Structures are given as structure tokens and as C-alpha cells.
Amino acid sequence: MSPRVFLFGLWCLLLLLASAAANYYAWSPFADGSRRSGATIYGPTHK
Amino acid sequence: MTAARVINCPNCGGSIALKAAGYSISVACQYCGSELDVANPDVLLITEYHRAAAASDLPLGARGTVKGIEREVVGWLQRSDGEARWSEYLLFNPYAGYCWLIHADGEWSLGTMLTAEPVALGEETVEHEGECFHREYDPVPTRTDAVVGEFYWRVRAGDTVEATVYSDGNASLSWERSADEVNWTLLEPLPSCGAVPAAFVAGQAPRGPSGPPGGPPQFGRKQGSVPRASSVPATDLTPVARRSDAGDLSAMLGMAVATCFLIALVAMMFGAGGRPVSQGLTIYTGQPAQTATLATLTLNRPYQAVTVTARGDAFVNKWVDLDYRLVDRRTQRSIDAYGLMEYYAGRDSDGPWTEGSHQRVTKFAAVPAGTYDLMVEASAQNWSNPSVTSYGWGSASGATGESESVALRFEVKPGGVFLGNILLFVLLTFAPITIWIVRRVHAAAGGYRS
């Protein structure tokens, strides 16, 4: 196994652990919690 | 292998068999270390020494098979760069030419001189046969400490060159610059360290300046310590297969795919929740917001997500503001979230169009364990002019005063999978591979060429 493959394996392991931690704490930067209304664009925006 | 020319050392009288007669320029006597000019028919003494030859692992004349070609050790250099000392053995075959065996830090590698200079991709990167090599350290003075045997150039103890090594993680490129030339050598690792001495056995030893035929020990080996054989051992030394970039790339892609699968699997496992609770609510456009308690949830895990899916009836050109509040019964602290459901349709010069959805999924993250009441404050507005795009900023601009009903149904479920999280981790997983590929493509296009 070359060093770069080994390092990439470590990177994958790190991401897997980070993912498991994020899931354990049910954490996400994409959650809707704590958003407040009042700054939303209404109406169609495709035009 | 080839007819050897025998000369006598002008200094000590030792018998020296030139293995590469006609190719060799200089010889260092293996008995006294004197350096001889053999390019001249009358062998000239370049530098006179009276010292015992230094110890080495392979005696002059030892033969072995490297890459399927029988080769003979014709020269040996001991070199150092101030921090490390290593041995370099010059191998010769009259048909295949020269190559090197390098013994450093207990590891053996095969050195092949490059006839074409690698392509410079930058200050510290070169490319050779499609592989990128990165410089490991700045060039350092490298000194030849001891010389024994014959060489195709004039070499003498004390010669100093600037040298460095470029590596691709497996093979290496040695760069050396002397006063008048630059040399590149490809270094490929050989199998386990014991295999190399075992694969080379001594050939016919020349006669020394005194003593019986067989002469004094070569390279400091004790006499008889090296088995003498007339035949070349069957062991063929072949460099350890180079792991190509393509091999590494496929391995990394496999690891990335497996990692993404595990990330998704873990997300699904943690995202599983309890049974969903369903609740309906009817609101009217233009009316004050209506408040309702949608569900009471008991969350047992230390932290959990909560997913609220709101579905509206087939309304058109309306939006629905949904302010959720998840209130902890014990502490009365609330976690707020907001969702906007909107659906518009109309017709313009391009024909009919629609925008939006009758469904809105809102997710709470990191909700601590406890019992919660989920409340919603919902209000709906009409959008007045479908033919003209209208924007409001926190207000119901464009709304009409006519009140129409909007039927909503909420489904509340403990748990939830954040697809954004999965996507983020997938991107991070593939980021190094992407960067590597982009750099390779860029390098292949000469983008880093200086």
C-alpha cells in the first residue's frame, strides 16, 4: 500500500468517524431549526 | 560473460580482471585502493593508496540475475551526504549495459540510468513515464568516500556532487549534478533485503598481489565466506511491482465508495425514528396566523432529529408560512424552526409555468432527550398577480384580500436523515481524489510547467 493510499484511508476513516459523531448528536448544518421567519422572498422566482 | 582483460596494479602488483574492458575508464584496485586509468593502454596510476578496501556486501565479480539478465558486479562506491552512508554497486552485462544496486538503510534498490531527462512540472515536481515525482529534500553535497572496481567514468574518492531524490511514494528518481553534467537514475525497490546478497554469488576471484590463487578477501569479506559457484544462481531479482497512479486511483476510488456507503448506512441507522403522528389543520388566506399543537413527542435517545412534513391541498398562487415550536415540557425551552410552502402557476409568452410544491419538510437537529409538544403557527396568503413576478421581503406584498381556505396535513416523526450531511461527507471523501486528478490533468497539460 503506497503512502498516499494509506493517507487516503486515514482520511476516509476520519470522515466516517465524523459522520458517526454527527449522526449520534443528530447534528446538521442543514437543519431548519432556529431559522426565523421574516426574511423570505415570496412569489415565483423563476422569471 | 565477457572476455576479461587482466592488468596488474602498478602500485601493489595485484591482478585485476577488467570485466567491462573497452567500456571502463577508471579502476580502483580492490587490494590497495589505488585509482588507475585503464583508458590508457599503459595502465596509469592516478592516485596511489595503501589501505585495505572497505567492507561491502557484494564482492567484485559476483554474478546474479536482475530482471532476467545475468549481471556482474564490476564496481562499488561508498558514498555519504553528511547524514547517511550507503553503498552503490555497478553491475555490468556486455549486452544490457550498466545498472546499479543501491544498498541504503538496509534496503536494496535497482538503479537504472535515464537517457531522457524527466519533465519538470514545477520547482519540486518532475514527471517520468506518466508518474509524478516530488522532491524529498533540497540538493545536498554527496561525497564518494571509497571506490573499488572499474567504472565507465573517472571516479575517485573525494568526488562530490549535488544530489537529491524525487519520490512518487514507491519508486524514486535520483538527481545528481556534477561540475559538467546532470544524471538522473530511476530507483526501484527490490524485494526483502536478504534476497539480494543471496542472489549474488562470487565469480572467479582474481589473484591478489601475494598468496595463493583466489587472492585476498574481496571487499573485506573473509575468505570463503562467499560461496563460489561457476553458475549463476537461479534467483531472479525483480523490482517490487510499482504501484502505478492508476492502481492507487482505483484503490482510492474503492475506498471512497465503501466509505460513502458506510456513511449513508450509519445515517440511515441513526435517522430511524418512532412512529409518525398525523394532524390536520385548515387555515385561511389573509387571516391572522392559526396556532395548533401537532403532536407530543417523547425522545429517548440523547440527541435526535425531528422531521415535520407539511402537505397542502391543491392550492395555487399562495404561500403558507409555517412557524414551528418544539417545547420541552420539563424546561419549557423551545426550539424554533420555519418552513415555507408555496405553489404558483401562470402563463406567459413561453407558455404555462408552475413553481413550488405542496409539500414542505422541516427538520429539527440535535434535539435532546425529553418530552416535547410540537406547535405550529400557520398563516397563508394569496399571491395577487400571476402575470408579474413580485417579491416581498418579510411581508405579504402582492397578497389579495380575498380569503380562501388551505387545508394542511402535518406528519411528525422522531428521527430523520439529513441528506445534506451525506452529500457533504461524500464531497469531502472524493475531494482529495478530485484534487489529485485535476492536478494530474493540469500537469499533463503543462499547466505547472515552469
Side-chain angles (χ1 to χ4, degrees), chain A, chain B residues 169 245 248 252 255 259 262-263 267 270 302-305 319 321 323 336-338 340 344 348 353 355 360 362-363 365-366 383 389-395 418 420-421 425 428-429 432-433 436:
Chain A
M1 178 182 287
S2 68
R4 63 182 164 210
V5 174
F6 178 73
L7 287 175
F8 184 74
L10 287 181
W11 171 249
C12 289
L13 185 63
L14 178 71
L15 289 180
L16 195 57
L17 292 175
S19 165
N23 281 295
Y24 176 80
Y25 290 103
W27 175 86
S28 172
F30 308 102
D32 301 287
S34 299
R35 277 193 205 163
R36 306 194 61 90
S37 60
T40 304
I41 296 171
Y42 297 104
T45 57
H46 78 287
K47 292 295 177 181
Chain B
D245 281 3
D248 281 357
M252 290 162 72
M255 294 168 78
T259 302
L262 288 174
I263 286 173
F270 279 98
Y303 294 92
Q304 201 164 355
W319 70 85
D321 286 311
D323 280 299
D336 299 337
Y338 172 71
L340 172 65
Y344 309 102
D348 59 15
W353 56 265
E355 183 180 322
R360 172 73 192 197
T362 304
K363 292 178 182 174
W383 182 61
T389 301
S390 178
Y391 298 92
W393 190 256
S395 67
F418 292 100
N421 276 17
F425 280 112
L428 288 174
T429 302
I433 300 178
W436 183 31

Side-chain angles (χ1 to χ4, degrees), chain B residues 398-438:
Chain B
T400 67
E402 300 173 15
S403 182
E404 299 176 47
S405 68
V406 176
L408 301 172
R409 176 148 294 275
F410 298 90
E411 189 177 85
V412 184
K413 187 168 77 82
V417 175
F418 292 100
L419 293 178
N421 276 17
I422 297 176
L423 185 63
L424 177 66
F425 280 112
V426 166
L427 289 175
L428 288 174
T429 302
F430 281 94
I433 300 178
T434 307
I435 293 171
W436 183 31
I437 291 175
V438 168

Side-chain angles (χ1 to χ4, degrees), chain B residues 278-281 294 309-313 341 407-411:
Chain B
S278 190
Q279 172 80 38
L281 177 67
L294 298 178
T309 304
R311 296 185 179 86
D313 57 6
M341 185 193 305
L408 301 172
R409 176 148 294 275
F410 298 90
E411 189 177 85

